[in-house]
Amino acid sequence: MSPPPELPDERLELLFACCHPAIPRDAQLALTLRSVAGLTTAQIARAFLTSEATIAQRIVRAKRKIVDEAIPLRVPDAAELPERLAQVLAVLYLLFNEGYLASDGAHPERRELCREAEWLTLLLARLAPGEPEVLGLLALMRIQLARADARFDAGGRLVLLRDQDRARWDRAGIAEGRAMLERATRMARPGPYQLQAAIAAAHGSAARWEDTDWADIVGLYDLLLRVAPSPVVRLNRAIALRYVAGAEPALDEIDALGEELARYPYFHAARAELLRDLGRDADARAADGRALELTSNPAERELLLARLAAQPGA
């Protein structure tokens, strides 16, 4: 049996330990995000688009399984690392997302969480330099953080991508992320984090909003749907489709997700924008109102309230 490698941060050790293959996958993620990353049950529930009760049950079951089966929470042997890698990456990805746009609390972002996730992913890339998805996730984080200073104005209000001052983007950070993505691509093992990084790089390459290559982005979402299909990916593809085929086909795609994403605020906010494009102001107002009911992020709430105040019938 090969000895466990030396992991350069004890948090990575805990991440690998909690992601034991004997624990069901959804329970692994919930347990690790709660016990290691420190997210609340409510935050984890929002990340999984499910209820707090469901997440609490998963955590309880995972803890019970650890006790009943005497699962050792230790650093896995080197040969066991690959089978746990996908779960560790999923935790780091969700941790980053929670920091990038906080699901609750007084602050719209928690950049320290983003930096922590990026740092741990960097350590993981040094530990496993031959794993392209680690590089893909690191590239995604680096490119997204390169836009961080432009995402909020001086008053803490959220600035959407199309309205951001791109002179404030960290072009060196975007270049670093693209270089990481190119290294991962040369390994010829594409995966969802690499594709998400490619989408972020496509946005980051556009000098102006009008220069965005939306056809390329829709194509990347098509590839992402093949390797990691989900309602959220389909929603994001439909948002991009708006700029290729127009609001009506994009709305048709989004409306088909209504049952699966009924409690997802971005579904309703995206739908509202398309409805406004089509002149359906009353329906747009109702969709924005539903998005407002479902989000706790203060910057998102302020943006939605401003939209509602500006809409006809306000």
Side-chain angles (χ1 to χ4, degrees):
M1 181 179 291
S2 56
E6 281 194 33
L7 299 179
D9 190 296
E10 65 178 10
R11 289 167 297 178
L12 276 183
E13 295 178 352
L14 288 170
L15 285 172
F16 273 108
C18 287
C19 291
H20 194 284
I23 303 171
R25 183 179 187 277
D26 56 358
Q28 284 181 33
L29 292 175
L31 174 66
T32 311
L33 287 167
R34 183 73 186 95
S35 302
V36 181
L39 299 190
T40 66
T41 304
Q43 290 168 337
I44 299 167
R46 290 190 183 96
F48 284 97
L49 304 182
T50 190
S51 68
E52 291 185 49
T54 297
I55 293 299
Q57 289 171 0
R58 289 177 186 174
I59 293 172
V60 169
R61 285 198 301 268
K63 290 180 177 179
R64 185 178 299 132
K65 192 172 186 67
I66 289 170
V67 173
D68 291 347
E69 299 188 15
I71 293 174
L73 293 184
R74 59 171 176 78
V75 180
D77 300 321
E80 297 173 316
L81 284 178
E83 68 179 340
R84 304 193 194 186
L85 184 60
Q87 295 296 84
V88 172
L89 289 176
V91 170
L92 294 172
Y93 174 74
L94 292 170
L95 181 63
F96 182 89
N97 285 348
E98 176 61 31
Y100 200 64
L101 200 60
S103 59
D104 58 18
H107 301 289
E109 65 168 348
R110 295 180 60 190
R111 205 172 303 182
E112 78 282 358
L113 279 184
C114 293
R115 294 296 185 193
E116 179 180 350
E118 183 193 32
W119 168 246
L120 292 172
T121 307
L122 175 61
L123 296 181
L124 193 56
R126 293 173 180 169
L127 181 71
E131 294 291 342
E133 277 292 80
V134 180
L135 279 174
L137 180 56
L138 184 58
L140 174 62
M141 293 175 175
R142 190 65 53 87
I143 293 169
Q144 295 293 68
L145 281 171
R147 294 196 298 109
D149 288 341
R151 293 179 62 239
F152 298 92
D153 66 16
R157 290 177 289 270
L158 187 65
V159 181
L160 298 178
L161 179 61
R162 64 172 172 253
D163 300 318
Q164 288 175 14
D165 178 2
R166 299 186 180 213
R168 298 183 65 195
W169 288 5
D170 176 6
R171 292 292 175 183
I174 292 173
E176 289 173 3
R178 290 180 65 90
M180 292 172 192
L181 179 59
E182 288 169 6
R183 282 173 53 201
T185 302
R186 286 195 294 270
M187 296 180 194
R189 283 183 283 152
Y193 298 119
Q194 294 169 72
L195 288 167
Q196 289 183 70
I199 292 166
H203 284 296
S205 298
R208 303 176 304 157
W209 170 259
E210 295 79 9
D211 299 328
T212 306
D213 189 342
W214 289 107
D216 181 45
I217 290 171
V218 170
L220 288 167
Y221 275 120
D222 287 336
L223 293 173
L224 185 55
L225 280 170
R226 292 182 197 172
V227 300
S230 77
V232 172
V233 174
R234 288 168 60 197
L235 172 66
N236 289 331
R237 182 193 179 277
I239 292 169
L241 184 67
R242 169 191 184 187
Y243 301 103
V244 175
E248 193 162 347
L251 182 61
D252 289 341
E253 297 267 344
I254 286 181
D255 279 345
L257 301 169
E259 185 174 342
E260 294 171 286
L261 297 179
R263 296 194 59 78
Y264 190 52
Y266 307 123
F267 163 79
H268 297 283
R271 188 168 179 270
E273 287 220 7
L274 296 172
L275 290 166
R276 273 193 296 275
D277 280 358
L278 296 170
R280 295 169 55 182
D281 293 333
D283 291 337
R285 182 172 177 79
D288 271 334
R290 183 58 178 147
L292 181 63
E293 291 172 1
L294 292 170
T295 186
S296 300
N297 182 282
E300 288 182 318
R301 291 185 61 81
E302 187 172 356
L303 177 65
L304 288 165
L305 286 168
R307 281 184 181 173
L308 286 166
Q311 288 178 32

